[in-house]
Amino acid sequence: MFRTALRNVLAHKARLLMTVLAVMLGVAFVSGTLVFTDTLGNAYRNQSAKSYDDVAVAVSTYADPDDSKKDDGISDRTLEGIRALDGVAGATGRVSGFAGVADKDGKLIGNGWSNTGGNYAPGKDGKDPAYDFTEGTGPASADTVALDEDSAEKGGYQVGDTVRVATNGPVKEFTLAGVFTTEDGAVNAGGSLVLFPTEVAQQLYLRPGFYQDVTVAAAAGASDGEILAAVEPLLPKDAEAQTGTELADEQAESIESGLSNLNTMLLAFAAIALFVGVFLIANTFTMLVAQRTRELALMRAVGASRRQVKRSVILEAALVGVIASVVGFALGVGLATGLRSAMGAFGAKVPAGPLIVSPTAVGAALAVGVLITMLAAWLPARRAAKIAPVAAMSSVHAVASTKSLVLRNSIGGVITLLGAAGISGGAATGGSDGRMLIGAGAFFALIGVIILIPLLSRPVIALFRPLLQGVFGVAGKLAGQNAVRNPRRTGATASALAIGLTLVTGLSVLGVTLGQAIDKMTTDNIRADYMISMASGGALDASALEAIEKAKGVAAVSPQQATSLEIGDTWHSASAVTPGDVEKVFDLKTVSGSLASLGQGSIAVAEDTAKSNGYKVGDTLKANVGSEDEPHAEELTVGAVYRGNEFLSPVLVPTSLVAPYETKPYIPEIWVAMDGGASDANEQALVDALGDNPAISVMDQQDIRNLFGGFINTALNIMYGLLAMALLIAVLGVVNTLAMSVFERQQEIGMLRAIGLDRRRVKRMIRLEAVVISLFGAVIGIGLGTFLGWAIGETIRGEIPGYALVLPWDRIGIFLLLAGVVGVLAAMWPARSAARLNMLTAIKTE
């Protein structure tokens, strides 16, 4: 039986090619994911361990320049005490924060959130061990800085050039003293690193004479644990000390956790691709078994048992799986290498390190490929084993019994209804519980539809048949009949496309709906022409507000200054705004009272907050203003109740109320209305007023929409790219079905040619058959995907104001068009093969 299985694999190489490709692509996805994440994890772990090689003890604090405490952090005195301890070879203090570097065109180098600045801390030898200089030296005077090599290259800077650097204050100019290399994580993530002299960095990021972190190096023979025990009594209460080994292990766990999420997501898409591949494999072996009915019957007649026949078919599948898995694994290693290189194109720098091909990756890839192939071939093998030795000798095709089809459709109907009930119930439940219920319902609905899809093929394809016959004549009529001749095969082929398009359509419906809801939220809540914020996502300096107020053409300006109030026992987040201007930059609708009362020192409360707390216009509230550590009692009057605005906190207070208690206000955004609205001239006036600061973003309303909605399109594009693998396997399924269908119907095609159907119309018949099957799968997938998109949207409706289902008809049209194109392309080879058949030879074929 082993020789028989091997012979059948070698005899049907062309017919098994598509199966091999499907398994190969799925295995490549799995192995590529595992190798890629193993390689990344190893590289980052090595980098982390290397950075702590010379660290015996690391001290961290939560020191913050905006904190009311003036003595937090590690002082120079404490640092000197650490250096004096027995076994300590040296201790280095560090401070860091945001620093954005402009290129020579004035644009920010890097991505904002990972642009950092720190201090250059030379030791006794005049060098800082954390940095290796390729040009120049470290910054020594207050007007000099050093820049990482990648950022210097991007900005086109050489030692001695003037570099414009922005922190959270006005942009300043420095002379570039040196260029260095670093394994700093921010730089590897596509950001930049600027080094200042220690005194300058302390002034920028904390306060003179204090550090946020300290690293301690051990003398030869000293114990890290003993040094840690000696260091801890010297530290302030907010400081935490760990050995370098503990910190490296903690970083490694953090890296592992972060990569596991990526690993899970990629493997989920690999699983989808393999699931789609199951239908292709099952279809292939079903057709191979049907074509070998006589051969298998003869084997039974000469003594082969049912178990041996079944084992023979499964063994064929195992051989195909092994071949496909080995090739797929090799492709996966290449895919991992390509992904690693591609990260550089997106600005991320992966630390150097070898490609990691672990035994787990090898075993998982081979096991997945072989097991999936054998599992998909199990049902065809079971059918093969049931072939009667005598009854099947004169039959070319095994026909499913009416009883089996009725049973299949009954089971499919029950499972589909169960899935639909789960999806509907999840939509009604809402929240995370509802989404879990929808996920379970979607699984059952998809399985149910797959079981029912042969039954659905006849009525759905019947809708296309009049059009086919009317437009394409005989070729169209024959294509429609051929598409439903074998409902099981048509259903299995269409199922692969349906699964892929269910996911793609569901994501599209949800993504487009969310995008429009966010867009509507922006247009309904904002009147301002511009929003000004830090590229890092941090707070703007108060000097930025003063500069904008003086800018030419400014009609109204208000900060959205984040603060808080304690009213009773409840803390409320609040926005400090400019009275008189806030209603000009935001669309605020009052329910009662007047926003003009903000100018008299009153506060305004959002409608929902007022209802839940029983506040009404005219109420006098006793409140604590300022931080929780230093609250200041105030009596506040509610001057207005307004409908909530998504860009403001539920309580509005005038900036004058909190100004005495907040020496350094936290201003995430400044909103500006200009005379004449948004224009290039007005935008330039704001840029100039801010000192052409590369770290400050000036965004108009379209930019704001893109900021809040752009990530949705980015996520959709990533999902489309990952799902493309599943759709590619579905295309291979269509090609495979048509190719083997042509092989089965050689005699029929020969007869059609003999009675006058020319080669052109034969090709058209096969192409139209492929288009019909593809469109059938697309219609099922789009319908189910739309249902899922609606249901998931219902679970988040309450979290997004203005949410309303939007059906992306343009994208749905594109999906249908692509399904038709898939059919045409998939039919090219089978149609050509059918048209080239010799009619006399074909007629004689049994």
Side-chain angles (χ1 to χ4, degrees):
M1 298 307 293
F2 176 78
R3 287 197 302 271
T4 302
L6 184 59
R7 185 206 60 172
N8 284 325
V9 169
L10 296 175
H12 301 117
K13 292 187 289 292
R15 289 184 238 173
L16 289 168
L17 177 62
M18 299 303 168
T19 298
V20 170
L21 287 174
V23 179
M24 183 181 72
L25 289 172
V27 170
F29 211 148
V30 171
S31 57
T33 295
L34 293 173
V35 172
F36 175 64
T37 51
D38 285 348
T39 299
L40 244 62
N42 181 71
Y44 283 117
R45 280 192 297 271
N46 288 344
Q47 179 196 53
S48 176
K50 183 180 177 182
S51 63
Y52 294 111
D53 273 350
D54 299 322
V55 176
V57 173
V59 180
S60 302
T61 72
Y62 299 98
D64 185 351
D66 298 332
D67 200 301
S68 58
K69 299 176 183 178
K70 299 302 179 185
D71 59 349
D72 58 351
I74 307 297
S75 67
D76 279 328
R77 181 178 178 180
T78 302
L79 182 60
E80 289 303 323
I82 293 172
R83 285 172 177 161
L85 292 173
D86 291 337
V88 171
T92 305
R94 300 288 182 191
V95 285
S96 61
F98 170 76
V101 183
D103 62 19
K104 293 191 175 179
D105 294 325
K107 304 298 182 183
L108 183 69
I109 297 172
N111 47 32
W113 59 268
S114 60
N115 291 339
T116 57
N119 64 307
Y120 178 70
K124 295 177 182 178
D125 59 356
K127 296 179 181 179
D128 189 327
Y131 310 104
D132 295 320
F133 279 79
T134 57
E135 298 178 44
T137 62
S141 58
D143 60 349
T144 60
V145 293
L147 196 58
D148 71 273
E149 189 175 43
D150 289 344
S151 299
E153 184 179 345
K154 291 174 185 175
Y157 289 119
Q158 303 288 333
V159 172
D161 287 351
T162 299
V163 179
R164 300 178 69 244
V165 180
T167 53
N168 286 341
V171 65
K172 296 179 181 178
E173 292 187 346
F174 298 87
T175 300
L176 184 62
V179 175
F180 58 88
T181 59
T182 179
E183 290 296 327
D184 186 275
V187 175
N188 287 333
S192 61
L193 178 59
V194 184
L195 295 181
F196 302 93
T198 294
E199 295 77 11
V200 174
Q202 287 176 329
Q203 186 70 42
L204 288 170
Y205 300 126
L206 194 55
R207 58 187 60 87
F210 285 84
Y211 303 90
Q212 293 158 324
D213 307 299
V214 171
T215 56
V216 182
S223 164
D224 292 355
E226 290 177 359
I227 294 174
L228 176 64
V231 165
E232 285 180 326
L234 303 179
L235 302 178
K237 292 180 181 179
D238 68 335
E240 179 185 357
Q242 294 173 282
T243 64
T245 303
E246 290 173 343
L247 197 55
D249 291 342
E250 191 177 281
Q251 290 281 344
E253 286 179 16
S254 176
I255 291 166
E256 198 73 37
S257 174
L259 288 174
S260 69
N261 295 331
L262 173 65
N263 200 33
T264 301
M265 184 187 74
L266 292 176
L267 286 176
F269 284 97
I272 292 167
L274 286 167
F275 185 52
V276 172
V278 166
F279 295 94
L280 192 159
I281 299 163
N283 230 7
T284 301
F285 279 94
T286 297
M287 288 186 283
L288 284 174
V289 167
Q291 291 167 14
R292 290 161 47 201
T293 300
R294 287 188 176 182
E295 175 191 329
L296 294 170
L298 184 59
M299 289 175 63
R300 291 292 314 282
V302 298
S305 66
R306 286 188 174 186
R307 181 177 295 178
Q308 285 178 310
V309 171
K310 183 178 178 181
R311 192 184 299 157
S312 172
V313 176
I314 291 178
L315 192 54
E316 284 181 52
L319 291 170
V320 170
V322 169
I323 294 167
S325 297
V326 170
V327 178
F329 183 78
L331 283 177
V333 173
L335 177 65
T337 305
L339 284 172
R340 181 176 176 177
S341 301
M343 288 185 69
F346 292 97
K349 183 181 176 184
V350 180
L355 194 70
I356 303 299
V357 181
S358 67
T360 302
V362 177
L366 292 175
V368 164
V370 174
L371 289 176
I372 286 290
T373 311
M374 292 173 66
L375 179 65
W378 179 80
L379 195 57
R382 186 169 173 271
R383 289 187 190 136
K386 288 183 176 181
I387 296 174
V390 177
M393 292 292 286
S394 60
S395 175
V396 177
H397 303 293
V399 180
S401 67
T402 303
K403 179 182 177 182
S404 69
L405 289 174
V406 170
L407 181 63
R408 173 183 177 136
N409 294 334
S410 300
I411 293 172
V414 170
I415 294 175
T416 303
L417 288 174
L418 182 64
I423 294 170
S424 301
T429 303
S432 58
D433 291 340
R435 287 190 283 275
M436 289 180 67
L437 194 56
I438 288 171
F443 175 76
F444 285 108
L446 202 55
I447 296 298
V449 168
I450 289 168
I451 296 172
L452 281 178
I453 212 165
L455 176 67
L456 297 172
S457 63
R458 291 186 183 278
V460 175
I461 292 176
L463 299 174
F464 298 104
R465 286 173 66 177
L467 178 64
L468 291 172
Q469 187 171 347
V471 176
F472 300 104
V474 174
K477 181 179 180 181
L478 290 171
Q481 291 173 345
N482 290 334
V484 293
R485 177 181 293 181
N486 190 330
R488 286 180 184 272
R489 183 187 302 168
T490 297
T493 305
S495 293
L497 271 174
I499 293 166
L501 282 174
T502 294
L503 298 171
V504 169
T505 305
L507 288 169
S508 296
V509 169
L510 190 61
V512 170
T513 301
L514 284 174
Q516 292 209 13
I518 291 172
D519 191 68
K520 186 175 185 297
M521 181 177 71
T522 303
T523 54
D524 287 355
N525 287 289
I526 297 172
R527 289 182 177 176
D529 298 308
Y530 295 100
M531 179 184 83
I532 295 167
S533 61
M534 290 293 293
S536 63
L540 289 155
D541 191 78
S543 61
L545 179 61
E546 296 170 5
I548 292 167
E549 288 172 339
K550 298 173 184 175
K552 181 181 178 182
V554 171
V557 58
S558 176
Q560 195 287 98
Q561 180 178 326
T563 185
S564 58
L565 303 174
E566 185 183 27
I567 302 174
D569 295 326
T570 305
W571 280 93
H572 297 278
S573 61
S575 293
V577 296
T578 303
D581 280 4
V582 64
E583 56 265 48
K584 296 177 184 176
V585 294
F586 291 106
D587 190 2
L588 295 173
K589 295 180 174 63
T590 53
V591 177
S592 57
S594 171
L595 290 171
S597 62
L598 288 169
Q600 284 79 52
S602 296
I603 65 171
V605 183
E607 185 177 17
D608 289 345
T609 302
K611 284 182 179 178
S612 62
N613 291 277
Y615 303 151
K616 59 184 184 297
V617 172
D619 285 354
T620 300
L621 308 175
K622 292 184 178 181
N624 286 322
V625 182
S627 68
E628 293 185 36
D629 294 331
E630 297 182 22
H632 299 271
E634 293 275 359
E635 287 194 352
L636 304 176
T637 301
V638 178
V641 174
Y642 67 95
R643 289 182 185 163
N645 187 294
E646 296 305 312
F647 294 88
L648 292 168
S649 297
V651 178
L652 302 183
V653 301
T655 51
S656 58
L657 174 67
V658 296
Y661 314 121
E662 297 183 358
T663 55
K664 194 165 185 179
Y666 187 83
I667 306 175
E669 307 121 23
I670 299 172
W671 299 84
V672 186
M674 303 291 287
D675 292 328
S679 67
D680 291 343
N682 281 337
E683 183 174 338
Q684 191 59 49
L686 292 175
V687 170
D688 292 342
L690 292 165
D692 195 16
N693 191 324
I696 297 180
S697 299
V698 178
M699 290 181 280
D700 60 20
Q701 286 205 10
Q702 186 57 53
D703 294 329
I704 297 167
R705 292 191 191 103
N706 294 340
L707 174 68
F708 291 104
F711 76 93
I712 294 175
N713 289 328
T714 301
L716 277 178
N717 290 334
I718 292 171
M719 298 297 180
Y720 289 159
L722 292 171
L723 287 171
M725 183 74 76
L727 292 174
L728 177 59
I729 293 173
V731 172
L732 293 176
V734 179
V735 175
N736 203 32
T737 296
L738 291 172
M740 300 188 80
S741 178
V742 167
F743 179 82
E744 284 181 358
R745 288 154 44 196
Q746 288 185 62
Q747 188 179 60
E748 175 191 318
I749 293 169
M751 290 294 294
L752 290 171
R753 293 274 287 112
I755 61 175
L757 195 70
D758 59 22
R759 290 184 173 182
R760 181 172 57 84
R761 283 188 285 182
V762 169
K763 286 184 178 179
R764 182 180 298 167
M765 177 184 71
I766 301 298
R767 282 197 295 265
L768 290 174
E769 183 181 345
V771 170
V772 167
I773 293 173
S774 298
L775 288 176
F776 169 53
V779 167
I780 298 297
I782 288 170
L784 187 54
T786 301
F787 182 42
L788 283 174
W790 164 80
I792 295 172
E794 289 298 300
T795 66
I796 58 176
R797 174 186 288 274
E799 301 168 21
I800 301 177
Y803 181 94
L805 180 69
V806 177
L807 294 181
W809 294 111
D810 53 343
R811 299 194 188 195
I812 289 174
I814 290 171
F815 297 157
L816 287 171
L817 179 63
L818 287 175
V821 172
V822 161
V824 172
L825 295 177
M828 288 179 66
W829 174 48
R832 185 169 176 270
S833 299
R836 293 179 65 184
L837 285 174
N838 183 294
M839 69 177 74
L840 294 178
T841 304
I843 289 171
K844 292 188 292 182
T845 302
E846 293 187 7

